[in-house]
């Protein structure tokens, strides 16, 4: 029992102890990783957190100067672990710098806890320095907002603090997972004085997290499962299409296999789906570009798991063809084609288990699957020809670079893929097995925060090396992330495919009408020195200009317990030329395979 309550404390004790209870409660709730950006107003909270990190099995705290980067580090933690990390910043524009990570977390259905330090209420809207109206700063992008206020001497406020912090954590997890803002205020003096008369009082309030606050799984209903099973049984050509999902959001592979076997429907998996297994269809983006294959192999019913895939050719098909499509995804309303037959927001594991018991193989499925596999093999063979042709060229092609990187990744690795071409090329140009886990930032397709996100995922992710594969502009967009990555204590390889700009824009219809110079407002070619970029933080740097140099630099980096940058210099327009060659050769081979 505590002997003295908050009414006996000085102002300094009050604030320090209030902060200690808050940080301890977030830890009790389940936060294992905190990402802190420096500032004065957050001092009591930062201090309390640092004390906690010294406890046995205490949480980890990463200090990341730039809040924009810090936000993505926290998001990476959530992506890799499925659990929220907590961010802590000072007042004012600092909190506004979290916004890119907030919108990505919302779009990707990932939990995030934003602890924004604020001045006491009496300093609001009066010109006090570094003071912004932080109430509901992230608007509708946050799935929850909690105002904690400043330390109070009334005991009821302390019970309220604990409840609010637990509730904020629970809200970030679900039922709509996403970012939650917890606005916390501190009145001066901010200097720590935690071990006064309130120590035992706070100790009496902390403890294990009440289990009833944890989100339970959401499944589609029995009725919905029955209805879906009936629709699926009537289909002649069905497909289970798996879009981009983090490992904790994806359905277990073994369950997907059983569903595929029971229904006779093939799994169509993008690299980012975390759903792929041995006999999955993976080259649909390639063969759907061929008219005959489209006509012959487009499914009549699709079960879409997760968000719509990245594949442009699949999106076009969904838009143009009459396909009955049923969507199940744990977050959002995932129907960009605006013509889904049903959309359900539910977790995949329990939903598919419900469905599984009701499925039967459609008689036509076997024949359909055989043809699909022949076409897949034809595209695989076309790719090998294209890669061989690329290898005969004088300068390394982007296609060969992707092939070489994937070839040299151990199965135990985690692969993060950047947006723009990288997330597409990993599907177009891969002939090697993917590593066990693939992370992507597909919520809003942003080229921001990729390096930071990979570092966050490295912090909370599986053992084994972690490689981030991204374009040069994406890399330059997140130089702040290199400052964070410097702290990596396990292998983190930032592999930059340097094609001197944003070469995805060479796929725009506009690109065929104008010359390269007129396209520069999009491609933004640059002469940035990436070695210097790595050097500013003292991160090891390797350059690779050939397949064998890629192998040598990955060998050198994948076992180093630190971050490294590998710059792979490729011929500027080699992606678009390899794409064209692939579509052409695939078409030639598809007609024989169909
Ligand atoms: C934050 C953000 N700003 C701008 C864009 C628009 N955008 C899409 S791709 C791209 C260029 C990416 O270039 P790079 O990373 O070098 O990849 P490449 O296209 O060469 O594969 C840009 C600017 C975006 N997706 N996200």
């Amino acid at each position: 029992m505590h002997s003295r309550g908050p009414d006996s404390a000085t102002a300094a004790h009050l604030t320090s102890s209030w902060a200690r209870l808050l940080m301890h409660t977030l830890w009790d709730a389940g936060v294992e990783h905190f990402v802190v950006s420096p500032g004065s107003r957050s001092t009591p909270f930062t201090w309390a957190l640092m004390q906690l990190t010294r406890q046995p099995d205490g949480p980890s705290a990463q200090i990341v100067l730039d809040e924009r980067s810090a936000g993505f580090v926290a998001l990476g933690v959530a992506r890799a672990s499925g659990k929220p990390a907590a961010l802590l910043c000072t007042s004012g524009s600092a909190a506004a710098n979290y916004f890119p990570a907030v919108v990505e977390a919302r779009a990707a259905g990932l939990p995030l806890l934003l602890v924004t330090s604020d001045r006491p209420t009496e300093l609001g809207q009066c010109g006090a320095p570094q003071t912004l109206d932080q109430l509901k700063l992230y608007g509708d992008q946050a799935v929850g907002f909690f105002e904690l206020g400043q330390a109070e001497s009334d005991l009821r406020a302390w019970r309220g603090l604990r409840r609010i912090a637990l509730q904020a954590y629970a809200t970030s997890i679900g039922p709509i997972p996403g970012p939650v803002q917890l606005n916390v205020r501190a009145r001066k003096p901010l200097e720590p004085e935690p071990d006064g008369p309130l120590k035992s009082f706070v100790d009496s309030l902390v403890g294990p997290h009440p289990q009833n606050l944890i989100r339970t799984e959401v499944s589609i209903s029995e009725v919905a499962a029955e209805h879906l099973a009936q629709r699926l049984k009537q289909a002649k050509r069905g497909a289970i299409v798996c879009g981009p999902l983090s490992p904790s959001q994806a359905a277990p592979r073994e369950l997907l296999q059983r569903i595929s076997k029971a229904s006779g429907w093939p799994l169509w998996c993008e690299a980012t789906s975390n759903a792929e297994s041995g006999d999955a269809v993976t080259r649909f983006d390639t063969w759907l570009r061929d008219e005959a294959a489209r006509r012959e192999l487009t499914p009549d019913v699709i079960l879409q798991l997760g968000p719509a895939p990245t594949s442009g050719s699949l999106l076009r098909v969904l838009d143009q063809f009459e396909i009955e499509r049923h969507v199940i995804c744990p977050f959002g309303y995932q129907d960009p084609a605006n013509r889904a037959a049903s959309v359900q927001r539910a977790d995949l594991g329990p939903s598919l288990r419900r469905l599984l018991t009701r499925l039967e193989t459609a008689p036509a499925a076997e024949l359909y699957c055989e043809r699909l596999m022949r076409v897949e093999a034809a595209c695989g063979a076309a790719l090998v020809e294209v890669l061989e042709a690329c290898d005969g060229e004088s300068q390394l092609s982007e296609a060969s670079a992707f092939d070489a990187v994937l070839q040299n990744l151990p199965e135990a690795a985690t692969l993060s893929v950047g947006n723009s071409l990288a997330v597409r090329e990993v599907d177009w140009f891969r002939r090697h097995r993917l590593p066990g886990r693939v992370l992507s930032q597909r919520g809003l397709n942003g080229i921001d925060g990729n390096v930071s996100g990979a570092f966050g995922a490295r912090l909370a992710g599986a053992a084994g090396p972690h490689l981030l594969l991204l374009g040069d502009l994406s890399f330059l967009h997140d130089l702040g992330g290199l400052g964070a990555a410097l702290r990596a204590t396990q292998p983190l390889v930032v592999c930059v495919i340097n094609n001197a700009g944003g070469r995805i824009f060479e796929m725009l219809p506009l690109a065929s009408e104008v010359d390269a110079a007129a396209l520069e407002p999009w491609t933004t070619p640059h002469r940035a020195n990436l070695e210097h970029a790595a050097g500013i933080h003292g991160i090891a740097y390797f350059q690779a200009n050939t397949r064998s140099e890629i192998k040598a630099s990955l060998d050198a980096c994948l076992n180093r317990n630190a971050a490294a940058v590998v710059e792979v210099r490729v011929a500027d327009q080699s992606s678009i030329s390899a794409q064209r060659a692939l579509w052409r050769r695939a078409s030639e081979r598809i007609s024989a395979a169909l």
Side-chain angles (χ1 to χ4, degrees), residues 486-536:
L486 180 67
R487 294 163 185 268
T489 53
Q490 289 178 298
L492 173 62
V493 186
V494 179
C495 183
V496 188
I497 304 293
N498 189 355
N499 54 19
R503 298 294 163 178
I504 197 168
F505 297 117
E506 287 171 343
M507 293 169 66
L508 290 178
L510 178 70
S512 54
E513 289 164 25
V514 299
D515 62 17
L519 203 62
E520 285 186 3
W522 290 267
T523 50
T524 43
H526 59 88
R527 301 181 64 187
N529 185 320
L530 306 196
E531 183 172 10
H532 289 177
I536 199 170

Side-chain angles (χ1 to χ4, degrees), residues 2-11 13-14 17-18 151-159 197-198 201-202 205:
H2 54 93
S3 48
R4 303 176 71 188
D7 52 346
S8 64
T10 64
H13 287 142
L14 209 57
S17 304
W18 180 259
E152 304 265 359
S153 54
D154 189 319
L155 174 61
R156 287 170 294 188
W158 294 68
R159 293 201 196 108
L198 290 182
F201 167 68
V202 170
L205 294 176

Side-chain angles (χ1 to χ4, degrees), residues 398 419-422 425 444-449 470-475 477 497-505 522-524 526 575:
E398 193 151 338
N419 282 316
S420 202
L421 285 175
E425 288 174 320
L444 292 172
N445 313 178
I447 62 160
D448 45 348
L470 83 176
D472 46 320
L473 292 192
S474 305
F475 175 78
H477 205 292
I497 304 293
N498 189 355
N499 54 19
R503 298 294 163 178
I504 197 168
F505 297 117
W522 290 267
T523 50
T524 43
H526 59 88
S575 178

